[in-house]
């Protein structure tokens, strides 16, 4: 046990002595000392995330992204979200959805997909750094160099890309150009998620 603690201290010292943030991050990951961020659950795990079909794959990803997004809100952010969610205009033929913050575990995939379409609009109306937990903002800044305002922009952009990817994935026809656009959207979303999952 004593040897393990000394080895761990040596790893911390080695990481701190590096001048490059990239090298620090690589060493921390290599030694298993990096604290995972709130969006880390969206990283691909082939044993847990093997999709069975497009509907469940895309809706499952949207549900996980919703969960991760709601988990970074502080109380002020949750209250602001609910206020803007209640006031946003929804199509008349949609079934009534309960409060997503309190009842999201009971959402069917159709509700998740509807909320995913609304998320970019809701977030752009209210989201500011003061709505995100301070420890999350600090973690993003320390691990990825993401500033507070940039974090808000990345979160909004991620949701805009998610909504676009859902639209493309569920197109009535899938042409080669739609497929390529979907692939590019998913790649952009993945890049953002990697940055904020640290």
């Amino acid at each position: 046990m004593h040897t393990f603690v000394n080895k761990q201290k040596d790893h911390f010292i080695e990481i701190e002595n590096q001048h490059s943030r990239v090298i620090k991050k690589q060493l921390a990951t290599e030694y298993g000392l990096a604290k995972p961020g709130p969006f880390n659950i969206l990283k691909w795990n082939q044993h847990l995330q093997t999709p069975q079909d497009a509907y469940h794959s895309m809706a499952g990803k949207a549900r996980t992204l919703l969960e991760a997004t709601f988990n970074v809100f502080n109380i002020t952010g949750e209250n602001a979200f609910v206020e803007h969610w209640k006031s946003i205009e929804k199509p008349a033929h949609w079934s009534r959805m309960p409060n997503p913050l309190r009842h999201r575990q009971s959402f069917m995939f159709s509700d998740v997909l509807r909320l995913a379409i609304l998320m970019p609009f809701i977030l752009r109306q209210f989201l500011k750094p003061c709505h995100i937990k301070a420890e999350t903002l600090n973690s993003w800044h320390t691990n990825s160099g993401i500033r507070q305002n940039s974090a808000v922009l990345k979160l909004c952009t991620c949701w805009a890309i998610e909504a676009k990817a859902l639209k493309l994935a569920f197109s009535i026809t899938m042409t080669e150009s739609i497929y390529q656009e979907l692939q590019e959207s998913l790649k952009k979303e993945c890049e953002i998620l990697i940055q904020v999952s640290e």
Side-chain angles (χ1 to χ4, degrees), residues 20-52:
S20 166
R21 178 179 284 154
V22 173
I23 294 173
K24 284 183 179 185
K25 186 175 165 182
Q26 288 172 344
L27 286 173
T29 303
E30 180 182 329
Y31 296 140
L33 300 173
K35 182 181 175 188
F39 287 87
N40 196 48
I41 57 174
L42 288 165
K43 285 187 176 176
W44 174 255
N45 179 330
Q46 64 186 9
H47 302 292
L48 298 176
Q49 296 171 286
T50 303
Q52 301 303 313

Side-chain angles (χ1 to χ4, degrees), residues 28-145:
T29 303
E30 180 182 329
Y31 296 140
L33 300 173
K35 182 181 175 188
F39 287 87
N40 196 48
I41 57 174
L42 288 165
K43 285 187 176 176
W44 174 255
N45 179 330
Q46 64 186 9
H47 302 292
L48 298 176
Q49 296 171 286
T50 303
Q52 301 303 313
D53 57 69
Y55 180 77
H56 288 92
S57 174
M58 296 300 286
K61 181 170 69 74
R63 174 176 275 172
T64 306
L65 184 56
L66 277 172
E67 188 68 29
T69 301
F70 292 149
N71 286 337
V72 301
F73 290 161
N74 56 26
I75 297 297
T76 308
E78 289 180 355
N79 292 337
F81 174 83
V82 170
E83 179 184 325
H84 285 83
W85 171 77
K86 284 180 180 177
S87 67
I88 196 165
E89 187 175 344
K90 300 164 192 79
H93 64 277
W94 282 13
S95 59
R96 187 185 165 280
M97 287 188 287
N99 178 337
L101 283 167
R102 306 289 176 249
H103 303 285
R104 64 184 177 269
Q105 299 306 325
S106 64
F107 272 24
M108 295 188 307
F109 274 155
S110 58
D111 295 329
V112 169
L113 293 172
R114 288 175 177 161
L115 184 56
I117 292 167
L118 297 175
M119 284 298 285
F121 302 103
I122 296 170
L123 293 178
R124 287 192 193 273
Q125 287 180 0
F126 84 92
L127 191 61
K128 294 180 179 64
C130 65
H131 297 121
I132 299 174
K133 293 176 184 171
E135 60 268 15
T136 300
L137 290 172
N138 291 336
S139 172
W140 288 343
H141 183 69
T142 302
N143 297 330
S144 301

